[in-house]
Amino acid sequence: MEWTEQRVATLTRLWEEGRSASQIAEALGDVSRNAVIGKAHRLGLKGRPSPIRRQASAPRPRPAKKRQTNVGDRQCHWPIGHPREPGFHFCGEPAEPERPYCAEHCAIAYRRSDNSAA
C-alpha cells in the first residue's frame, strides 16, 4: 500500500471530520487501522481523546459502606437494593444474638450442612 497525495488528503479530511481510525481504514481500503494511526501521527494531525481514557477518568460513584446508613450494631445489616442506586439501605430489624442479620435474613444467609442435621 502506498500513501499517495490523494490518500493522505482523504485521511486528513476524514480525521478532521472526527472519523475513527477504523472508519478511515475502511474508506481507504487495503490499509489497517494501525497504519492510519501511524500516518496521522507522522503527519502531525491533531490527536483526539481516547474514549477508553475518557471513561476511565470519569468519576465513578462509590458504593455505600455498610455502616454508613445509621444501622446500629444490634440491627440487621442485610443490604436492600443496589449500593449505587437511590433508596439503598439495610434491613435494620433487630439482629439475632451474635449475628449481623435478623432471623429472616439469617435463614437466607446461613444454611445447615448435611453433616450438622441430626
Side-chain angles (χ1 to χ4, degrees):
M1 196 291 304
E2 186 178 331
W3 286 105
T4 64
E5 286 184 35
Q6 181 182 358
R7 289 173 70 93
V8 170
T10 301
L11 181 151
T12 303
R13 179 178 50 79
L14 295 175
W15 186 270
E16 290 173 355
E17 287 177 5
R19 302 271 182 96
S20 71
S22 296
Q23 291 170 330
I24 296 169
E26 187 176 322
L28 292 172
D30 192 33
V31 65
S32 71
R33 171 189 165 276
N34 284 341
V36 169
I37 293 169
K39 186 63 173 179
H41 179 73
R42 289 188 299 279
L43 290 170
L45 298 179
K46 184 178 176 185
R48 299 179 295 208
S50 166
I52 295 170
R53 286 192 193 133
R54 195 172 1 185
Q55 290 173 355
S57 65
R60 294 181 182 171
R62 294 185 180 191
K65 292 187 179 175
K66 190 169 23 171
R67 303 215 183 246
Q68 196 172 8
T69 58
N70 298 328
V71 177
D73 287 339
R74 298 301 325 135
Q75 291 178 298
C76 180
H77 285 78
W78 189 268
I80 308 293
H82 190 280
R84 293 184 181 165
E85 293 179 2
F88 173 77
H89 63 283
F90 295 96
C91 171
E93 292 293 316
E96 291 289 293
E98 306 296 320
R99 300 284 188 194
Y101 308 124
C102 65
E104 178 185 350
H105 290 125
C106 277
I108 297 169
Y110 303 107
R111 305 282 176 154
R112 286 189 178 171
S113 67
D114 292 336
N115 297 337
S116 65

